[in-house]
Amino acid sequence: MAAAGGAEGADGGSALWAEVRALLPRAEEGLTLALSGEVEGCVLPLLRRARALLYSPPGPPGAAAAAALARFSDVLRDYSWEKLNAVPWREVGKGWRQVYAYGCLFGALAEVAAGRPQAAVRLCDLGLLLGAAVLDNVLARLVRALQPRLPRGTAPRDRPRPPRGSLPGVEGERPFQRVRPERPPPPPAVQPEEAIPHLHCPSLEHFRDNYLIPERPVVLEGVMNHWPCMKKWSVDYFRQVAGCRTVPVELGARYTDEEWSQQLMTVNDFISQYIMDENSVGYLAQHQLFDQIPELKEDISIPDYCCLGEGEEDDITINAWFGPGGTISPLHQDPQQNFLAQVLGRKYIRLYSPQDSENLYPHESQILHNTSQVDVEDPDLVKFPNFTKAAFQSCILMPGQILFIPVKYWHYVRSLELSFSVSFWWS
Amino acid sequence: MAAPARAWLVFGFSPEEAAGEPGPGLAPRRLEAGPEGILRVWPAWSYVVVETGAGLEVRSAGLRRRLPGWAEALPSETHLVLRGPAEARAWRREAAVTGALQDEPAWSRALPPEPRQPLPLLPGGFATPRPPFFTALPAGLRARRLALGTEHALALGAAGEVFTWGGGRHGQLGHGTLESEPQPRLVEALAGVPMWAVAAGGWHSASISEAGDLYMWGWNESGQLALPSKALVEERAQDDVCTGNAKLVPRQEQSAAKDTPFISIQAFPALLDLPQDLEEVESSTPGAGVNMDSWDMGTSPALTRHVGSSTWWPRGCGQRRWCAGPGPPTSVCWSREALEPPSHGCCQEEDEGELCSTRPAPRPVRTWIEAAGPRRGSCLAQTPRAAPEILGC
């Protein structure tokens, strides 16, 4: 991070600082730096020194103190980042994730002191994405305090990019009416014998006895009717609510490709580059957006049918899937039950039973063992001859519909146009 | 035996800063040597073990303690392994930095009195600066060098073969996959090219052939393989905005950067195309920009004179950087944070041209290989433009 530059007018700076400072414990002893796991002792002096900078002297930190705080942030994040990458994610110690979150907190506060609230929001998002909650989820509270101070709508980005071939007049357009440079391929036909059954608001018992227990897919209709997202969500709405927030985006046609990668960018950038302008494929996929941006969580509900599971409601993983037409999730299986709720746009989905797993040629590597090697819509039948033996069901999932994907059921998903889905993984 | 006049240059993060004290700053500074001089250096993150003419010494912020009777060190942020003539031991970091070696060690192992390879190699296996401290190697594997990464290890065999094992999620094993290997496995892609040295960073690896070619593989997320890195291009663009510095970026490099395929993981060894003839450059002050052919300088440590040569020697790797030297005089470092702040690194200059070696970033796991040469040493550091740039010593 660069050293503290000139802040905005002193009045605005002090008022914002006071508001931000009020999010922290009043006294230094209140900021306990407690960690839920073991970390190496070498980072503790840095945490303590950074904390000391915040509490004395009172008032917004001057340029030197802000620079020192930024430096502590860099060092803490740099060191803990290596710990976050040293083992598979599920094994990462919570203590190290909290150190990372503290690093982001100190860095964000330094950016606020330097008059750069957008950079502060970005650091908060990094802490929310990679860190673990500290100080009563202070990073989320900090973002909420900063967001009103940021420009609305098409926020200026941190990194100016050369203007690409953006389509004219896209501001405020509804997604379905967006002009597309070329016609997309027509949606695949769904033959009657392979169609997934559709049901309107089945009772809990009926769903449990006919679909959950026998592990059979079904499309539920009418369940989402009163979810606020059906009326509120549009590309412009996301720009307003979440435009300045940093999210992970998948780049590349599918995650089995060599060129596939993930990148962090703001929602504004994602919309500008990959939704409005379709030079290459970007997909905001498998991201717990609703933990990061609680405002959006109020627009959705958890399907009642999830109560038929044994797990707690808090254990349900809710993911956002937001992207242009043409995003593909290769055929794969997940270890939990899934409700895939379609809010915007349509998706072509194909399902294969786990009993057909052998005919689907899963990858042998450990990382991709839950993914098939076969490209569902263009299978190489020379390499994968038994693929034709596998029976499947399919549907075109429309807005307002929820697809029940039983546990371990193989599924392939392709968006037919701009699409926003919400998935609920439950047990 | 008079030690030749040498100076160690240190830049970047310091043990003082690790303790939260104000550090000496980011620009290169000389490491205070004392009358005995500093012969070798083994850095951890918050402390460093140096070998002076009078023996080993551990230095952390504001504290120096001698470690009498020990010959080599292998430090980490949890433990310090020391090797002496008859045994090797490990102490917890807290005891080690205060020199409290009379405390019960966390581990010890008797060593036979025979000529030995350098740490981490030990007779029959190798040491790690954390439990289990000793791991056996297959009897048939006669390793003459061994390098430790965060999750993996490399061994250089007697005939110049390279074996790798451990975690492979970032391609650091060089077998072309992302799979882990429980046992040492020959790197087939390098078979037939006898290697001279190996080194390991956090999640990347390097080797240098006897003919002087440099091979790198593993994670390139911040450009540590000197291959095009998307993150660095982004960082550079962001920095251009934040600092307002007008960088002198040649036209051809800009357009090349747009078309370059970015590499985040290099799972097979890649032969690096390094400049062979490095021209003399003028000395400059830190922060100044000097354009030199297709290279671009940022706010990084000072430039200095250097003389080129044609052979490359590995100097060691940081967690996210890599350091090599062309022959005796020059060293090449690829630094993730060449702009701000620069990675911690260190080079040694030799007035009589005896020795040139560099100390890589003081990350928890790093290796450092020394190579002799007749001329003054210097460092090249990679800016976020994925091109070497001259630092200096």
Side-chain angles (χ1 to χ4, degrees), chain A residues 40 49 71 85-86 159 365, chain B residues 17 20 151 169 179 234 341:
Chain A
E40 289 169 5
R49 290 299 297 249
R71 178 81 177 128
N85 281 278
R159 314 164 197 154
S365 76
Chain B
E17 278 196 279
E151 298 177 53
R169 292 184 297 136
E179 301 294 314
E234 307 269 327

Side-chain angles (χ1 to χ4, degrees), chain A residues 1-3 40-43 45-46 49 71-72 74-75 78-79 81-83 85-89 116 122 158-162 251 260-261 263 274 364-367, chain B residues 12-13 17-22 26 45-46 77-78 93-94 150-151 169-170 178-179 203 219 221 230 234 237-238 241-243 258 319-320 336-337 340-341 363-364:
Chain A
M1 292 290 162
E40 289 169 5
C42 52
V43 294
L46 294 168
R49 290 299 297 249
R71 178 81 177 128
F72 283 128
D74 285 348
V75 171
D78 199 56
Y79 194 77
W81 186 93
E82 292 175 4
K83 301 299 181 187
N85 281 278
V87 292
W89 183 249
R116 288 190 293 266
R122 182 172 183 277
D158 282 345
R159 314 164 197 154
R161 298 182 188 278
L251 304 176
W260 183 89
S261 66
Q263 196 181 323
Y274 297 100
E364 291 185 11
S365 76
Q366 204 219 1
I367 296 176
Chain B
F13 189 65
E17 278 196 279
E21 303 297 322
L26 302 177
W45 188 75
S46 64
E77 286 304 312
T78 58
R93 171 192 170 275
E94 293 72 32
T150 297
E151 298 177 53
R169 292 184 297 136
H170 297 294
L178 304 181
E179 301 294 314
W203 297 274
W219 209 5
E221 52 79 30
K230 199 162 198 178
E234 307 269 327
Q238 171 145 32
V241 171
C242 283
T243 65
K258 283 206 194 98
Q319 279 292 72
R320 296 160 79 180
R336 164 187 177 263
E337 300 158 327
E340 146 86 72
R363 308 299 191 185

